[in-house]
Amino acid sequence: MIQIGLTGWGDHPDVYDSSSSKKEKLINYSAHFPIVELDATFYAIQSERNIRKWIEETPDNFKFIVKAYQGMTGHHRGELPYASVDEMYNLFRLSITPLQEAGKLAMILVQFPPWFDCTKKHVAEIRFVCANLDGFDIAIEFRHQSWYTPEFQPGTLSFLKELNVIHSVCDQPQAGQGSIPLVANSTRSDKVLLRLHGRNIAGWRNTTGDGEAWRKVRYLYNYNDTELKEIQSAVQKLKNETDEVYVIFNNNSGGHAAQNAKRFQKMLNINYESLTPKQLDFFEGEF
């Protein structure tokens, strides 16, 4: 099965009714897509109240890909807002357990930063993260090219298989060491993740030093049909290796993600059932 969705549900105006309130956005989103990447968990460990609200607002078959908190992946700057690393992990596990119990947790996405290179130290850190998230399905995403050099790529995939974690396959700009190639290999037989970040090479690197401005353009990209056909080939290969392929469009900056995802869905001739009863038709006839 191929599941297609987007990163977040708050930045995709194409999937909202013009009269929708902020509180209805997830409900409207789930009328179009069966999965979503929950990135709010990267910035802060969410309250049980938020998690249970999102569970109630989505159909029974809806799944969340939960992004790991930044304190676990080395992105957080300064002191952690927790008494200890153990407390951080305990709170994170407690936060997402309701999703798991409801059958709505597809996986935890552990995305490491561009400076997280292939070294023994970082291999040990991955083992530490996985041990602290034992009992959950984990997807590992690298951003440093060293994990996929001809010398290390076979070992990287073998290592992920050894840990029984999901390989997060990426399509992203090829912009040096801080980017990785699209390696369409699954490390588990049940599920794999493919994240599409766009191909904006100029925007991928932060050359201005302005983090806020950079984030606005980094994922500014609109996939054309030729590029989507390339992605389709990768998805078909992954589909031959695993039961479920989760595809997330993360090219959100210009509002292209939803349109690209719908076009890709049509290209694959996929129709999802059991979505929110409030099925919207904004995209009918457009793709």
Side-chain angles (χ1 to χ4, degrees):
M1 182 176 293
I2 300 170
Q3 308 275 21
I4 301 171
L6 315 175
T7 299
W9 58 81
D11 298 319
H12 311 292
D14 286 337
V15 301
Y16 311 134
D17 187 318
S18 59
S19 62
S20 297
S21 67
K22 183 178 179 180
K23 295 180 179 180
E24 294 177 308
K25 285 187 174 182
L26 177 56
I27 296 172
N28 286 348
Y29 172 96
S30 63
H32 293 281
F33 301 106
I35 60 170
V36 72
E37 182 182 307
L38 178 56
D39 58 354
T41 48
F42 174 79
Y43 300 101
I45 295 176
Q46 298 296 303
S47 67
E48 181 179 350
R49 177 182 177 184
N50 283 347
I51 295 293
R52 293 200 180 279
K53 175 177 178 292
W54 297 330
I55 290 171
E56 292 172 1
E57 289 178 348
T58 50
D60 292 342
N61 294 334
F62 193 86
K63 304 282 186 182
F64 292 83
I65 297 168
V66 174
K67 197 166 184 181
Y69 175 61
Q70 59 184 327
M72 303 175 188
T73 56
H75 288 88
H76 190 273
R77 303 298 176 88
E79 292 186 12
L80 290 171
Y82 302 101
S84 66
V85 171
D86 284 345
E87 181 187 54
M88 173 184 69
Y89 274 102
N90 285 336
L91 290 173
F92 184 81
R93 289 192 298 265
L94 286 171
S95 172
I96 64 172
T97 292
L99 281 174
Q100 187 181 52
E101 292 175 343
K104 293 191 174 187
L105 179 62
M107 66 191 72
I108 301 171
L109 169 63
V110 179
Q111 178 198 302
F112 290 105
W115 56 87
F116 192 87
D117 57 352
C118 186
T119 62
K120 289 184 178 179
K121 175 186 174 183
H122 289 151
V123 166
E125 287 188 31
I126 294 170
R127 291 188 185 278
F128 178 80
V129 172
C130 291
N132 277 279
L133 295 176
D134 186 41
F136 296 98
D137 283 339
I138 303 167
I140 299 289
E141 179 169 321
F142 298 109
R143 285 289 173 90
H144 195 278
Q145 203 172 76
S146 60
W147 297 92
Y148 295 97
T149 61
E151 178 184 3
F152 291 128
Q153 180 176 310
T156 295
L157 296 174
S158 294
F159 175 55
L160 298 181
K161 287 180 181 179
E162 174 200 333
L163 293 175
N164 195 34
V165 299
I166 298 157
H167 181 212
S168 178
V169 181
C170 294
D171 184 72
Q172 60 185 231
Q174 298 305 291
Q177 287 190 337
S179 59
I180 63 171
L182 196 163
V183 177
N185 290 91
S186 180
T187 53
R188 287 187 21 172
S189 62
D190 58 339
K191 59 180 75 171
V192 68
L193 175 63
L194 171 59
R195 298 178 79 220
L196 307 176
H197 301 300
R199 299 181 180 181
N200 183 352
I201 295 177
W204 192 252
R205 299 190 185 100
N206 184 5
T207 57
T208 66
D210 185 340
E212 184 175 349
W214 173 60
R215 280 188 288 273
K216 290 181 180 178
V217 301
R218 191 178 195 200
Y219 302 108
L220 180 61
Y221 196 77
N222 185 15
Y223 282 97
N224 61 43
D225 285 347
T226 299
E227 292 166 334
L228 289 178
K229 287 178 181 176
E230 293 174 12
I231 301 300
Q232 181 180 5
S233 296
V235 168
Q236 293 297 342
K237 180 181 182 299
L238 292 169
K239 187 173 179 289
N240 291 333
E241 298 178 3
T242 193
D243 297 333
E244 287 193 285
V245 183
Y246 291 81
V247 181
I248 291 290
F249 282 81
N250 190 36
N251 53 326
N252 295 334
S253 298
H256 300 115
Q259 296 175 14
N260 286 177
K262 281 290 182 176
R263 215 159 69 239
F264 191 60
Q265 183 180 333
K266 184 175 182 180
M267 190 177 291
L268 271 60
N269 195 28
I270 295 174
N271 292 303
Y272 295 116
E273 299 178 355
S274 302
L275 297 177
T276 299
K278 188 180 179 181
Q279 182 67 57
L280 307 180
D281 61 354
F282 298 148
F283 293 97
E284 287 186 3
E286 294 186 18
F287 301 100

